[in-house]
Amino acid sequence: MIDLRSDTVTKPSTGMLEYMLKAELGDDVFGEDPTVTKLEEQIAGMAGMEAAVFSPTGTQSNLLGIMSHCQRGDEYIVGQTAHTYMFEGGGAAILGSIQPQPLDFDLDGTLDLDKVYMAIKPDDFHFARTKLLCLENTTTGRVLPLDYLKKIPAFCKENKLASHLDGARVFNAVSKLGVNLETITQHFDSVSVCLSKGLGAPLGSILCGSKELIKEARKWRKMLGGGMRQAGIVAAAGIYALEHNIERLREDHDNAELLAKGLGEIDAIQIIAINTNILLIKVNKNYPELREELFKNGVIFPKTANKAGIIRLVTHLDVSTDDILKTTNLIKAFYHKQ
Ligand SMILES: *Cc1c(COP(=O)(O)O)cnc(C)c1O
């Protein structure tokens, strides 16, 4: 099947599975799994941070970050459509008693720092204490500009804020900009990276930060049920992904462009945005029938559009250039018959 719903659907490759089979294991709750430790050290090194902690999901990894930066009654400033606000079940508020202050993202996926400044609460007992600025890179595929990121440390210092980057797809930004991870992450106090998206591991995320922050995060991880035993079996997939699947993200970006080009030639389809591996479209005619026809031919599109009528398509390592051409040809044939 050619599954364009998300880059989370990737399955571990034979090479990855073979590497996992050979992983040296131990009890990671005792700190004795050498493969988990290796992965944590490897990614902390790449991010230019002191330490890292492995977590089963990006949702948990972000939550560990937010809960380690903030106390009960604190607040984090976050994008209105950010994963850490919209898509994590309200975890920071519910489990951390940490209030979100959402702001609209600008078109490029940044939060306007003047608006962030205005949202910071005065130091007064009427207010929650604003403690953290949370950004997302990439956000719906958009790469945050480096010039913007460079402003974050001074802005946060000036306003006594910590900073966290939800870098679920930060390697797509790394690939797009042609920089190394540290060039992006050096501007933040912590970063969460997903191994289970375009990098192709079956699961796993990593939170990176200072030794002190990661020590705190380990406590929250245990409390949240994320302390895993022979987790090296999955961490091995992460190591394999870091060593084999970063360079190739460029192919996903090229394939997304190719898909946008093909779909752009079809009258019934409108291209809304194309950024890194994420394409947003509107289908103005017979979407349920189109989806059904595609499914019969081995192509999976999302069940429905969102409330704004937008359908998100995502390229990844289990979708080849031929798969993209097959998909656009099927859609062209479908509308030709109408
Ligand atoms: C996928 C994703 C996460 C984490 O999701 P999990 O499914 O919990 O691993 C966090 N942030 C963003 C922007 C994401 O796309």
Side-chain angles (χ1 to χ4, degrees):
M1 296 299 276
I2 302 166
D3 193 340
L4 289 161
R5 291 171 301 169
S6 177
D7 48 8
T8 56
V9 301
T10 56
K11 309 249 170 66
S13 64
T14 309
M16 183 178 276
L17 288 167
E18 280 168 1
Y19 190 79
M20 291 165 77
L21 275 177
K22 286 188 233 137
E24 231 187 296
L25 305 176
D27 189 325
D28 183 53
V29 175
F30 298 166
E32 290 174 5
D33 189 301
T35 309
V36 172
T37 305
K38 182 180 168 189
L39 173 66
E40 288 171 347
E41 284 172 0
Q42 196 170 344
I43 197 144
M46 290 168 82
M49 295 205 184
E50 283 176 356
V53 59
F54 184 54
S55 176
T57 65
T59 297
Q60 185 179 88
S61 176
N62 277 323
L63 183 60
L64 299 181
I66 297 170
M67 287 178 75
S68 302
H69 284 296
C70 301
Q71 303 290 316
R72 179 168 189 242
D74 289 350
E75 169 183 89
Y76 67 111
I77 295 179
V78 61
Q80 198 72 249
T81 55
H83 206 278
T84 44
Y85 174 58
M86 277 264 280
F87 298 95
E88 297 183 357
I94 293 165
L95 301 168
S97 301
I98 302 155
Q99 160 176 294
Q101 167 61 69
L103 298 175
D104 286 332
F105 278 129
D106 277 358
L107 281 176
D108 63 359
T110 61
L111 288 176
D112 182 329
L113 293 182
D114 293 332
K115 290 185 194 150
V116 173
Y117 175 77
M118 293 307 287
I120 296 169
K121 312 285 186 288
D123 181 8
D124 171 316
F125 62 72
H126 289 88
F127 303 103
R129 288 173 301 255
T130 313
K131 273 286 171 63
L132 178 69
L133 173 61
C134 212
L135 293 171
E136 187 170 301
N137 196 14
T138 65
T139 179
T140 321
R142 291 167 297 190
V143 176
L144 302 188
L146 283 178
D147 281 346
Y148 173 77
L149 299 186
K150 282 178 192 156
K151 295 179 194 155
I152 300 301
F155 175 84
C156 285
K157 188 161 183 239
E158 178 97 14
N159 293 289
K160 299 191 176 66
L161 299 181
S163 59
H164 172 74
L165 182 67
D166 177 358
R169 293 192 180 86
V170 72
F171 280 109
N172 292 88
V174 163
S175 164
K176 188 74 187 179
L177 295 171
V179 297
N180 56 30
L181 181 61
E182 188 175 358
T183 307
I184 294 172
T185 53
Q186 66 180 326
H187 305 297
F188 295 89
D189 296 317
S190 59
V191 57
S192 167
V193 181
C194 280
L195 301 162
S196 57
K197 300 261 162 93
L199 292 183
L203 58 107
S205 282
I206 302 256
L207 177 73
C208 304
S210 68
K211 274 187 191 152
E212 206 181 344
L213 188 94
I214 297 304
K215 190 177 167 207
E216 187 73 7
R218 284 186 191 281
K219 183 191 71 185
W220 293 124
R221 184 185 68 165
K222 188 75 187 96
M223 189 187 286
L224 293 166
M228 299 179 288
R229 303 296 175 173
Q230 283 73 44
I233 194 104
V234 228
I239 294 171
Y240 184 92
L242 292 178
E243 285 169 4
H244 295 86
N245 294 341
I246 296 176
E247 278 292 304
R248 61 150 309 286
L249 288 170
R250 202 177 325 128
E251 296 168 32
D252 299 343
H253 302 169
D254 291 346
N255 281 336
E257 292 272 358
L258 188 68
L259 185 59
K261 187 166 168 285
L263 298 185
E265 290 163 3
I266 300 166
D267 284 344
I269 295 180
Q270 192 186 345
I271 306 297
I272 304 298
I274 157 84
N275 290 293
T276 55
N277 68 330
I278 301 185
L279 172 62
L280 303 180
I281 61 169
K282 279 189 177 175
V283 176
N284 301 321
K285 222 169 104 183
N286 301 345
Y287 183 64
E289 294 80 3
L290 171 66
R291 187 181 171 272
E292 190 62 33
E293 175 76 4
L294 287 172
F295 193 78
K296 272 192 234 150
N297 287 283
V299 180
I300 312 181
F301 267 37
K303 199 160 269 162
T304 52
N306 70 11
K307 277 188 184 169
I310 290 172
I311 292 160
R312 186 189 79 154
L313 302 174
V314 187
T315 55
H316 52 77
L317 84 178
D318 287 342
V319 175
S320 67
T321 301
D322 280 348
D323 292 341
I324 297 293
L325 296 174
K326 177 182 166 181
T327 302
T328 47
N329 285 336
L330 281 168
I331 299 174
K332 280 178 187 169
F334 172 82
Y335 284 113
H336 201 69
K337 274 190 287 177
Q338 301 281 301

